[in-house]
Amino acid sequence: MAEGGIPDDDISLPRTAVNKLIKEMLPNMRISNDARELVLNCCTEFIHLLAAESNEECGRQAKKTIGPEHILAALKGLGFDHYVPEVEDVLEDYKIQATQNKRKATKLEDLGIPEEELLRQQEELFAQARMQQLQMDQEEQARAVAAAAAAAQASTSAASGGMLADSAQHAGNGGAGMTAAQRQLAQFQAITAAAAGPQPPSST
């Protein structure tokens, strides 16, 4: 539970987005679930730290709204100066994209599309995005379950093989005084018992 009674999951980054970034950065590398969780926690903690420092920088300048200049100042204050050029490039790209979106909105207004229709279309896009994210989460969980099942099956097969070898060896060692036919029968019974697995106790 985070400060203010807000659940930690509500202030964390979306796992799907972080997993997508990891896959894009390391396409040929398998990452364990523990490592993914650690990356998610580190990213979330970094954003919290940067937001707190930006808020203090905003207060020092007697501003009420955190702006890009406060973020850049916070990065420098926290010792992340090498991030500043890339952040400035992203900021410039955002400004260009925002200008293009504004022009598109103006064109839509010129076409006479009602605001209610635009809002409806926006809600549909949001719903589609949520559905896609849900499907990606379900697929990821299904892959994790399948991997766990495969590991469990492999472990069971290895254990069964060990039981079979032990049973055969026991039959061979205990059959020193048996005839060849008796030893074969004992080995067959051991193989059959190992294949059948442990039997539940009979109720009396």
Side-chain angles (χ1 to χ4, degrees):
M1 186 71 68
E3 296 180 1
I6 302 176
D8 291 338
D9 291 342
D10 292 345
I11 58 176
S12 178
L13 295 175
R15 297 179 185 274
T16 303
V18 175
N19 289 336
K20 183 178 179 181
L21 289 174
I22 294 175
K23 187 174 182 180
E24 290 177 354
M25 297 297 296
L26 303 171
N28 300 321
M29 183 71 66
R30 295 183 62 182
I31 310 296
S32 67
N33 291 333
D34 290 341
R36 292 176 184 272
E37 187 71 18
L38 180 59
V39 171
L40 176 64
N41 291 336
C42 289
C43 292
T44 303
E45 183 62 25
F46 175 76
I47 292 177
H48 289 174
L49 180 64
L50 183 60
E53 184 68 18
S54 301
N55 184 55
E56 292 182 5
E57 184 66 28
C58 180
R60 284 192 289 266
Q61 297 182 16
K63 301 291 185 179
K64 295 183 178 180
T65 303
I66 297 177
E69 64 276 10
H70 303 132
I71 303 294
L72 296 173
L75 285 172
K76 295 177 182 178
L78 293 171
F80 296 106
D81 304 68
H82 54 288
Y83 286 173
V84 172
E86 294 186 18
V87 173
E88 289 176 341
D89 291 341
V90 172
L91 177 60
E92 187 63 26
D93 292 340
Y94 166 76
K95 290 180 179 180
I96 294 174
Q97 186 65 37
T99 301
Q100 293 176 350
N101 292 340
K102 186 175 181 180
R103 291 175 180 174
K104 291 179 180 179
T106 302
K107 290 181 180 179
L108 290 175
E109 291 177 358
D110 294 339
L111 291 175
I113 299 179
E115 182 178 358
E116 292 78 6
E117 176 63 18
L118 294 176
L119 292 175
R120 186 189 66 79
Q121 294 178 6
Q122 185 183 49
E123 288 298 328
E124 289 182 355
L125 292 175
F126 287 159
Q128 292 176 3
R130 287 192 294 268
M131 183 61 66
Q132 290 177 356
Q133 181 171 342
L134 177 61
Q135 291 176 351
M136 292 176 64
D137 289 340
Q138 291 175 345
E139 291 174 358
E140 183 178 349
Q141 292 177 357
R143 286 193 295 267
V145 171
Q153 184 177 4
S155 177
T156 302
S157 300
S160 299
M163 291 174 58
L164 177 60
D166 292 343
S167 299
Q169 182 178 4
H170 178 72
N173 295 336
M178 297 180 181
T179 65
Q182 289 174 334
R183 284 197 297 270
Q184 291 180 355
L185 177 60
Q187 291 177 355
F188 175 77
Q189 291 174 344
I191 293 174
T192 303
Q199 299 295 326
S202 59
S203 57
T204 58

